[in-house]
Amino acid sequence: NGGSASVTMYVSLQPVEATDDAFWDQFWADTATSVQDVFALVPAAEIRAVREESPSNLATLCYKAVEKLVQGAESGCHTEKERQIVLNCCRLLTRILPYIFEDPDWRGFFWSTVPGAGRGGGDEDDENARPLAESLLLAVADLLFCPDFTVQSHRRSTVDTAEDIHSIDSCEYIWEAGVGFAHSPQPNYIHDLNRTELLKLLLTCFSEAMYLPPSSDSSNTNPWVQFFCSTENRHALPLFTSLLNVVCAYDPVGYGIPYNHLLFSDYREPLVEEAAQVLIVTLDYDSSTSSSPTVDGTTTGTAMDDVDPPGPDNLFVNYLSRIHREEDFQFILKGVARLLSNPLVQTYLPNSAKKIQFHQELLVLFWKLCDFNKKFLFFVLKSSDVLDILVPILYFLNDARADQSRVGLMHIGVFILLLLSGERNFGVRLNKPYSVRVPMDIPVFTGTHADLLIIVFHKIITSGHQRLQPLFDCLLTIVVNVSPYLKSLSMVAANKLLHLLEAFSTTWFLFSAVQNHHLVFFLLEVFNNIIQYQFDGNSNLVYAVIRKRNVFHQLANLPTDSQSIQKGLQRKKKTPEPISRTNSQDGVSMEGSRPAAPAEPGTLKTSLVATPGIDKLTEKSQVSEDGTMRSLEPESSQPPPEGNPPSAVSDGEPWSAEATHPQQDRRRLSSASSSGQWTPTPDWVMSWKSKLPLQTIMRLLQVLVPQVEKICIDKGLTDESEILKFLQHGTLVGLLPVPHPILIRKYQANSGTAMWFRTYMWGVIYLRNVDPPIWYDTDVKLFEIQRV
């Protein structure tokens, strides 16, 4: 039994000969184990003891286990016994690998060759020997397309000779219909379970990345992923396609019948989760360092474009970037949208569908699709289907805003919206009326998807936790990017924007950190864009600006003398919260919604690296008359004028998403000179106050305020509907300054975000794999595990 094997391993810290088959075979001969059993029977302390005391035994065990997998792949696993041995070796390696990775002395072990383990058996020279890692990866790839073990056999009768695993074309055995494959095989839960175990081992092989500290050097590619996704793996294409299709075709509702999932256990979900995790790890690729993998070419008859340039060596990235058929894009987008909306469906039809937990992996996958395949991005924005992605993201952002353990989720949601907002079509799509009533903890409103976005962003800024402050720049950049296209904001959203301006333009906020004034610039840009380009439909916003006109006058008259600056900073001590919530006029929240909850104490979370500042994250593009964009010279090339600080985000506080060190936890972005280095000076205030873009709004107030006051006096009006009616029919044609060109800040790939995605993705995978707990209590270096 398995128990005795574990004991024997423990007892035999004396070296055992590799040829002693009786000893080694007991590790995988057992019939009734599960991966959980293996984890229970082989405790961490024992693995470490063998590693330290009897390294040759651990080496032999790994080598023998890989050898068994290779033999299984060679023979095609025709007997139950062979399949059992393969699965047990799979489980054992999944258990042991993290302990190999955590010890730097062992890290090269799998990349060394084992004497006598030639590619073609023992007789050949050792010149031909493959590193153990390569043998392992190729065996796993073969086993993932093994008839009657992980795929349906195409042979009609059992009498016929079994299919030779080396002669089969694995493209005929793709696991699910979808991209490049029309046939949906009969579901077989045994095959699903076996695939899941093999993918778990694959993910564990790739997880060596967790044991290296984060580095900005993007050249350190993961050797496991690099080999697996190279031309050495003859199954790369069918496996990429199988993983993508299995994820995108999954319907957790249980074949369209509500509540059906309660009737039978779903064997597909663990496979889908594992496939999603393996997929995003294989796509971990820094697109900023290479020529972009995106290929724009002529359409060919295949699912992938086959035009030059060949793109990156990583075949998975290459294949992803070359998908181009409309029906494939439709299949992917519908699948991702269906799965992202699943937790929302849960809120208004509780238990009607199985609630999935892998939305973070889906968001990473969606990000990779848009980042590596521009045709997909344009397809997403071509119709209002993009809103099926937007609404779930806004739901997650709103739901996670108070929860410190979900900072990473907040970031990826915002990054995706930043990427989408760089395209004009996104702003245009937001004008669609919002009718889906997903219960969310936000004020009730009637309006468009743009209103929803602004109301959720306002909620994040005013009632999210402190760690989200670095995202404010990003949130407002998104609003600026879409603002020239917003035809008609609701009164609720208009008031929210003015409330933000009010909060951000208080003297203590403006003077308390070197980059806080950027937020005011962003908001003024939003108002200018709407007034200049969409004045006609935006009487609600114009009315709100008129009502809050004092905020603009105060900004124009912002004091710049030392005494006033000090007085402004004093005021802060009386105001503990960065943003007052009292005057934001939050109405009743939507029916059926629950307030956003903070993390349960003791929740585990993983640390994240800092994200680049908004100036590094985006590049400015100008929209021409005909709607095309041209990139503007980066400003950094000109030296800043004497006495002005350089672009403020990059100096001062780091734009750190998640302070990794406890002493930084107490540093809050809103606090004045937390480092004690920076204090506001009159010159500094003057340097940006003189650039506040107030001309358009001041002109609007100058023209409209007297007219509105006259109406009120003449008609004795206190009723805003009459004033709104007047504003609706008013015009400012010829009265405003010449419209400024529209500036869009488009996301640009950079190694900083590539590193952020790597730490975030592995952190998610670490925390989500609890049964069995593959990496718990091993010495991970990529991030820290923290308790809330």
Side-chain angles (χ1 to χ4, degrees):
N1 66 339
S4 66
S6 143
V7 175
T8 330
M9 181 169 172
Y10 188 63
V11 171
S12 66
L13 292 174
Q14 279 72 44
V16 178
E17 284 298 316
T19 49
D20 182 353
D21 286 340
F23 175 79
W24 298 110
D25 284 349
Q26 61 189 339
F27 285 102
W28 27 84
D30 196 7
T31 47
T33 49
S34 67
V35 66
Q36 285 78 4
D37 294 341
V38 172
F39 272 66
L41 292 170
V42 186
E46 281 180 32
I47 303 173
R48 288 192 176 114
V50 174
R51 188 183 70 197
E52 305 310 321
E53 309 296 316
S54 182
S56 68
N57 280 6
L58 185 59
T60 306
L61 183 67
C62 290
Y63 161 62
K64 287 277 184 189
V66 172
E67 191 181 45
K68 287 288 173 200
L69 290 180
V70 172
Q71 283 167 7
E74 293 280 326
S75 74
C77 282
H78 296 301
T79 66
E80 197 44 54
K81 185 174 183 231
E82 282 177 287
R83 290 173 200 162
Q84 203 52 56
I85 289 174
V86 162
L87 290 173
N88 282 341
C89 289
C90 203
R91 294 158 184 160
L92 195 62
L93 285 166
T94 303
R95 180 59 170 143
I96 292 171
L97 274 167
Y99 297 91
I100 303 264
F101 294 151
E102 74 174 355
D103 185 337
D105 296 340
W106 275 82
R107 216 165 277 145
F109 168 71
F110 269 86
W111 294 96
S112 59
T113 50
V114 179
R119 292 178 190 211
D123 353 327
E124 293 184 39
D125 291 350
D126 286 341
E127 303 297 293
N128 271 355
R130 274 193 182 281
L132 202 52
E134 295 187 4
S135 304
L136 170 55
L137 290 171
L138 293 175
V140 170
D142 276 341
L143 287 163
L144 285 167
F145 292 99
C146 184
D148 289 328
F149 180 52
T150 50
V151 291
Q152 215 68 49
S153 171
H154 291 184
R155 291 294 157 111
R156 289 288 161 266
S157 71
T158 43
V159 185
D160 225 345
T161 48
E163 286 151 288
D164 174 16
I165 195 152
H166 294 286
S167 63
I168 70 167
D169 173 6
S170 44
C171 286
E172 293 172 12
Y173 290 87
I174 288 171
W175 301 349
E176 185 57 76
V179 176
F181 195 66
H183 166 68
S184 185
Q186 226 11 68
N188 179 320
Y189 80 90
I190 302 282
H191 294 174
D192 277 0
L193 293 173
N194 294 342
R195 291 165 178 173
T196 305
E197 298 233 33
L198 287 159
L199 290 178
K200 209 180 275 302
L201 172 57
L202 200 50
L203 194 61
T204 309
C205 292
F206 295 158
S207 72
E208 186 179 6
M210 281 196 220
Y211 298 88
L212 303 169
S215 79
S216 52
D217 176 23
S218 49
S219 63
N220 59 1
T221 41
N222 181 330
W224 296 85
V225 171
Q226 196 177 4
F227 179 79
F228 191 77
C229 298
S230 74
T231 48
E232 293 271 355
N233 177 1
R234 71 188 184 98
H235 303 294
L237 178 61
L239 189 57
F240 167 77
T241 314
S242 293
L243 296 173
L244 183 63
N245 291 354
V246 155
V247 172
C248 296
Y250 179 55
D251 185 356
V253 175
Y255 308 99
I257 309 164
Y259 304 100
N260 196 16
H261 72 102
L262 301 172
L263 307 180
F264 58 87
S265 178
D266 180 357
Y267 293 97
R268 220 350 93 116
E269 192 183 18
L271 173 64
V272 175
E273 291 210 355
E274 214 66 56
Q277 292 179 1
V278 168
L279 201 49
I280 60 177
V281 170
T282 53
L283 296 169
D284 176 19
Y285 174 83
D286 181 357
S287 57
S288 66
T289 57
S290 65
S291 56
S292 158
T294 305
V295 178
D296 287 315
T298 50
T299 339
T300 53
T302 59
M304 311 295 165
D305 264 342
D306 35 36
V307 283
D308 293 333
D313 294 338
N314 177 327
L315 291 178
F316 280 37
V317 174
N318 199 340
Y319 297 145
L320 184 80
S321 69
R322 285 168 34 198
I323 297 170
H324 64 94
R325 287 192 211 167
E326 295 262 313
E327 59 268 35
D328 289 341
F329 286 156
Q330 188 63 28
F331 165 74
I332 294 171
L333 180 58
K334 279 273 182 276
V336 173
R338 178 192 327 114
L339 291 169
L340 284 177
S341 312
N342 162 277
L344 285 60
V345 177
Q346 286 297 313
T347 53
Y348 48 88
L349 291 174
N351 300 322
S352 59
K354 186 165 177 168
K355 185 163 183 177
I356 61 156
Q357 303 296 330
F358 55 99
H359 50 274
Q360 296 190 89
E361 292 92 323
L362 286 165
L363 290 171
V364 175
L365 178 60
F366 182 76
W367 169 270
K368 298 277 179 201
L369 280 156
C370 293
D371 195 22
F372 294 158
N373 190 324
K374 288 293 168 272
K375 286 184 178 172
F376 177 74
L377 176 62
F378 299 143
F379 177 84
V380 168
L381 294 164
K382 204 168 71 172
S383 72
S384 52
D385 288 352
V386 64
L387 303 174
D388 299 337
I389 300 284
L390 170 75
V391 172
I393 289 178
L394 291 175
Y395 172 85
F396 293 130
L397 290 178
N398 189 56
D399 189 54
R401 66 176 194 265
D403 183 341
Q404 293 231 356
S405 69
R406 288 155 81 195
V407 170
L409 171 62
M410 298 291 295
H411 275 74
I412 187 163
V414 172
F415 283 160
I416 289 173
L417 298 183
L418 178 65
L419 181 71
L420 295 174
S421 74
E423 308 297 332
R424 171 182 176 274
N425 262 357
F426 182 63
V428 174
R429 298 286 159 235
L430 291 178
N431 290 308
K432 188 174 176 181
Y434 176 66
S435 49
V436 198
R437 288 282 168 245
V438 177
M440 283 164 86
D441 172 27
I442 52 170
V444 178
F445 72 98
T446 303
T448 65
H449 284 76
D451 295 309
L452 177 69
L453 178 131
I454 287 167
I455 291 166
V456 169
F457 283 10
H458 173 270
K459 201 81 172 168
I460 294 167
I461 291 171
T462 55
S463 65
H465 58 79
Q466 206 65 44
R467 285 279 175 79
L468 299 178
Q469 281 211 6
L471 278 177
F472 292 1
D473 272 346
C474 248
L475 292 168
L476 293 187
T477 298
I478 293 165
V479 180
V480 173
N481 282 348
V482 302
S483 59
Y485 311 111
L486 304 184
K487 291 193 171 9
S488 171
L489 286 182
S490 69
M491 191 59 95
V492 178
N495 285 335
K496 297 301 179 208
L497 286 174
L498 279 139
H499 175 241
L500 289 179
L501 182 70
E502 219 174 344
F504 289 148
S505 56
T506 59
T507 47
W508 76 259
F509 186 78
L510 284 174
F511 297 157
S512 65
V514 73
Q515 75 279 31
N516 283 356
H517 63 278
H518 288 205
L519 300 172
V520 168
F521 276 78
F522 285 140
L523 284 164
L524 291 175
E525 211 177 317
V526 170
F527 297 135
N528 287 338
N529 281 341
I530 294 179
I531 291 166
Q532 289 278 21
Y533 291 99
Q534 300 288 350
F535 178 80
D536 286 351
N538 273 298
S539 51
N540 287 330
L541 183 76
V542 174
Y543 178 66
V545 167
I546 291 172
R547 276 191 43 224
K548 293 280 184 190
R549 56 190 179 274
N550 62 320
V551 180
F552 299 97
H553 291 300
Q554 280 165 6
L555 268 176
N557 302 317
L558 189 73
T560 55
D561 59 289
S562 302
Q563 201 180 351
S564 305
I565 292 174
Q566 283 317 307
K567 209 165 116 192
L569 288 170
Q570 291 308 308
R571 229 176 271 168
K572 163 185 194 315
K573 300 204 168 78
K574 307 189 189 94
T575 328
E577 277 301 331
I579 288 174
S580 79
R581 297 168 196 181
T582 42
N583 55 354
S584 104
Q585 306 142 335
D586 259 8
V588 187
S589 272
M590 292 175 70
E591 201 178 329
S593 67
R594 289 194 307 270
E600 293 286 322
T603 306
L604 288 179
K605 66 188 181 86
T606 54
S607 61
L608 295 164
V609 292
T611 43
I614 195 75
D615 53 341
K616 301 254 187 330
L617 206 55
T618 54
E619 77 180 353
K620 290 187 182 152
S621 298
Q622 197 168 307
V623 181
S624 321
E625 299 291 311
D626 60 356
T628 54
M629 290 196 191
R630 59 185 186 86
S631 173
L632 297 178
E633 277 297 292
E635 292 166 14
S636 53
S637 50
Q638 302 130 13
E642 281 306 302
N644 276 11
S647 153
V649 185
S650 47
D651 60 341
E653 288 275 3
W655 208 81
S656 90
E658 178 76 291
T660 326
H661 305 294
Q663 71 268 21
Q664 281 180 320
D665 281 10
R666 292 189 295 279
R667 276 168 77 171
R668 295 192 155 184
L669 277 173
S670 64
S671 65
S673 59
S674 47
S675 49
Q677 317 240 308
W678 177 83
T679 44
T681 62
D683 283 352
W684 172 77
V685 179
M686 277 305 296
S687 73
W688 55 261
K689 179 189 168 182
S690 60
K691 299 195 188 93
L692 285 168
L694 287 163
Q695 307 79 324
T696 301
I697 293 169
M698 288 309 187
R699 185 78 187 119
L700 173 135
L701 292 172
Q702 198 185 345
V703 174
L704 292 179
V705 170
Q707 297 181 344
V708 169
E709 284 176 339
K710 186 172 183 315
I711 293 177
C712 294
I713 293 163
D714 289 357
K715 304 200 176 170
L717 276 185
T718 46
D719 176 19
E720 54 184 52
S721 64
E722 283 291 327
I723 300 168
L724 282 168
K725 204 171 291 173
F726 161 73
L727 291 173
Q728 259 159 17
H729 300 299
T731 174
L732 291 175
V733 173
L735 296 171
L736 292 177
V738 178
H740 53 285
I742 296 174
L743 264 190
I744 301 290
R745 293 170 182 82
K746 288 175 79 105
Y747 167 82
Q748 55 172 355
N750 59 75
S751 47
T753 37
M755 194 62 229
W756 185 88
F757 273 97
R758 182 174 305 159
T759 50
Y760 168 62
M761 168 182 80
W762 278 113
V764 168
I765 290 171
Y766 177 98
L767 292 172
R768 297 255 298 107
N769 281 273
V770 286
D771 184 26
I774 303 182
W775 300 282
Y776 270 41
D777 296 329
T778 58
D779 189 11
V780 171
K781 294 276 193 304
L782 185 61
F783 44 76
E784 288 175 25
I785 291 95
Q786 301 160 337
R787 277 191 192 280
V788 174

